[in-house]
Amino acid sequence: MKHLSLPLLLSVFIISCSTDPKEKTAETPTSGNPLFEGWYADPEGAVLDNQYWIFPTYSSEYEKQVFFDAFSSPDLVSWQKHEHVLDTSIIKWARQAMWAPSIIAKDSSYYLFFSANDVQQPGGPYWDEKDTINHYGGIGIAQASSPSGPYNDYLGKPLISVFQNGAQPIDQFVFKDVDGTYYIFYGGWKHCNMGILNDDFTGFTPWEDGSLFKEITPEGYVEGPFMFIRNSKYYLMWSEGGWTNGSYKVAYAMADKVTGPFERIGTILESDTTIATGAGHHSIINTPNTDTWYIVYHRRPIPNEGRDHRVTCIDSLYFNPDGTIKPVKMTFEGVAKNEFQ
């Protein structure tokens, strides 16, 4: 057997060390953060039509925040932009500030719930008798036969237009339970309500006491509720702090049933001054038939260019053996490519 000389062995070692990381990077592309260009917030992630979808808020001044773009991906890495899937030319009662879209599929249709007009209540701290825009509005619904639209105004008016239990009608999320019941979770101003949607999403099925909305506000809640179920446990998540600054963060609770009670467990996503600040108003994506989970959220880049400078990002979500959620590590890399099967 012929022996290699020492210089030749060193050459082979150096070449192998220098090429392995490159090969690994090429084999495992990542999404990067932010996921796509532009200022976008409040992202709702979902799996629709065998693709990953994100419906975010266009983050701008209220008078410019009058449309929604959507993004789809087969693998979490490459994203296609679908421009203006919904805007105020379709939702004519929405005169400004459309935000916090929430998408769900039902009976071959797609229902896009949204907030509009920043509706206020008479006598409230932000009520302005002369500002008629926010005298009317709330939570609306658009409907389409495809996630990318075209959408129509499903009701022609808000589904919820007044404050109930102190909750401003904003930041809605629709959840389908294992028994097929559809619930809506919503609320700003530190109050969270839930209601049972009727079969055609035109109204609500009353609770046993005759009320339409049950308050389930956990400790620390501010806005942005989200729910998912894993291993028969219900996770209610929400945002705390102020959305205009670095105090924004995500907390959660767990329960054995959809109605709770929900006791705050802790915070899992918050500012990291080495990465970004103001991380919040999130959603969760689960790759179907797996235990692979992602958190989609917005955050404020450093340096930040103003109140509306928010971008949409994604990172992995992990659980402890007891089902509690591990703190999320924000990254610039994002998540690895995961082709939809």
Side-chain angles (χ1 to χ4, degrees):
M1 181 177 178
K2 193 171 183 179
H3 294 280
L4 296 177
S5 66
L6 180 58
L8 183 56
L9 283 171
L10 288 173
S11 298
V12 171
F13 176 78
I14 292 171
I15 291 172
S16 65
C17 288
S18 64
T19 56
D20 281 353
K22 292 181 181 179
E23 290 175 359
K24 184 178 181 180
T25 301
E27 292 171 0
T28 56
T30 60
S31 64
N33 276 326
L35 280 178
F36 30 78
E37 293 183 0
W39 293 12
Y40 291 98
D42 315 330
E44 165 108 348
V47 173
L48 306 166
D49 280 2
N50 296 322
Q51 287 204 97
Y52 301 100
W53 283 81
I54 292 178
F55 290 78
T57 297
Y58 174 65
S59 188
S60 187
E61 297 90 346
Y62 276 3
E63 59 269 21
K64 297 179 181 178
Q65 194 174 290
V66 293
F67 64 87
F68 292 124
D69 294 329
F71 300 83
S72 62
S73 173
D75 57 13
L76 298 175
V77 171
S78 58
W79 290 89
Q80 178 185 353
K81 182 177 181 179
H82 306 268
E83 294 190 47
H84 287 222
V85 296
L86 187 66
D87 59 40
T88 52
S89 71
I90 299 168
I91 311 297
K92 298 187 183 303
W93 57 265
R95 298 169 59 191
Q96 70 167 7
M98 297 176 72
W99 78 95
S102 178
I103 187 79
I104 195 160
K106 184 179 187 294
D107 299 335
S108 301
S109 287
Y110 297 88
Y111 295 88
L112 186 61
F113 291 70
F114 58 91
S115 307
N117 290 2
D118 193 27
V119 64
Q120 302 296 324
Q121 62 179 340
Y126 299 105
W127 176 262
D128 182 350
E129 192 65 37
K130 298 179 180 179
D131 182 6
T132 59
I133 290 178
N134 61 25
H135 290 185
Y136 180 77
I139 295 171
I141 314 176
Q143 181 193 38
S145 58
S146 168
S148 60
Y151 284 88
N152 62 75
D153 189 343
Y154 183 57
L155 299 176
K157 62 181 181 179
L159 173 69
I160 307 174
S161 60
V162 297
F163 283 61
Q164 302 280 353
N165 303 321
Q168 186 186 26
I170 64 168
D171 288 7
Q172 66 297 314
F173 173 70
V174 178
F175 172 74
K176 182 181 180 181
D177 203 358
V178 292
D179 65 356
T181 303
Y182 291 84
Y183 296 92
I184 188 169
F185 296 83
Y186 78 92
W189 287 24
K190 301 182 179 181
H191 293 275
C192 183
N193 286 338
M194 69 177 296
I196 307 169
L197 285 158
N198 63 14
D199 188 59
D200 59 4
F201 289 176
T202 58
F204 300 92
T205 300
W207 296 98
E208 292 181 356
D209 62 3
S211 65
L212 295 183
F213 303 103
K214 180 191 296 288
E215 182 168 7
I216 57 165
T217 309
E219 177 190 358
Y221 176 92
V222 173
E223 59 192 16
F226 187 89
M227 173 168 280
F228 69 94
I229 187 170
R230 176 182 181 268
N231 293 343
S232 299
K233 291 290 185 180
Y234 292 85
Y235 293 75
L236 178 67
M237 311 178 80
W238 62 90
S239 292
E240 301 178 350
W243 72 269
T244 61
N245 58 57
S247 68
Y248 217 39
K249 55 190 175 184
V250 172
Y252 79 106
M254 297 169 61
D256 293 326
K257 56 183 180 178
V258 68
T259 54
F262 295 103
E263 299 292 333
R264 185 183 190 275
I265 293 176
T267 301
I268 61 159
L269 177 67
E270 55 188 63
S271 293
D272 178 347
T273 54
T274 66
I275 302 288
T277 65
H281 204 130
H282 75 298
S283 59
I284 303 296
I285 296 177
N286 170 229
T287 302
N289 304 313
T290 75
D291 197 32
T292 301
W293 299 79
Y294 305 98
I295 183 168
V296 184
Y297 61 97
H298 75 239
R299 68 193 193 196
R300 296 184 173 278
I302 302 172
N304 195 254
E305 298 178 25
R307 186 198 74 160
D308 301 302
H309 189 195
R310 300 172 292 175
V311 295
T312 291
C313 299
I314 186 171
D315 280 300
S316 293
L317 191 74
Y318 298 110
F319 299 84
N320 295 306
D322 64 357
T324 55
I325 303 174
K326 295 183 178 182
V328 175
K329 171 62 178 174
M330 287 195 289
T331 69
F332 291 118
E333 294 79 17
V335 299
K337 185 175 183 179
N338 185 356
E339 292 188 12
F340 200 95
Q341 301 298 317

